[in-house]
Amino acid sequence: MKLRNLALAAAVGAATLSWQPPTEYVDGLPLQDLAGFKIRYGTAADNLDQLVTIANPGITSAMIESLTAGTWYFAVNAYTLANVESNLSNVVQKTIL
């Protein structure tokens, strides 16, 4: 699956993410069993150790709240009804003051 265009909006103590859902598998076949998305985040780009699961393929944005001061990194991936997961999106970051 190809997940594209992860975006980040600013809010102190929170980050709002939005993305475009995939429409096809990596091999180009149509994606017909999208189940939802997993937002992975953390304070290091190579250690996204926190997870929010969105079990609704129609939701394409989410707000992560209660973020402490510092730089936070976020990525999203899609998953199917069979729990097959896409690669992570590009990692975006936000600094909370």
Side-chain angles (χ1 to χ4, degrees):
M1 294 175 284
K2 299 176 189 174
L3 186 71
R4 295 175 245 155
N5 299 330
L6 179 63
L8 184 66
V12 174
T16 300
L17 302 159
S18 63
W19 57 90
Q20 293 180 346
T23 58
E24 60 186 31
Y25 288 97
V26 174
D27 62 6
L29 292 174
L31 175 62
Q32 298 177 346
D33 60 346
L34 182 62
F37 304 94
K38 295 182 181 181
I39 300 171
R40 299 171 192 278
Y41 65 102
T43 56
D46 60 352
N47 186 22
L48 304 176
D49 59 352
Q50 305 214 31
L51 174 69
V52 173
T53 300
I54 299 173
N56 181 336
I59 294 176
T60 58
S61 67
M63 180 181 285
I64 307 298
E65 300 179 294
S66 301
L67 298 173
T68 58
T71 301
W72 289 84
Y73 299 86
F74 305 86
V76 176
N77 67 327
Y79 68 94
T80 66
L81 295 172
N83 208 29
V84 174
E85 294 188 24
S86 70
N87 292 330
L88 284 176
S89 67
N90 57 310
V91 176
V92 296
Q93 70 182 51
K94 178 178 182 188
T95 300
I96 303 295
L97 302 176

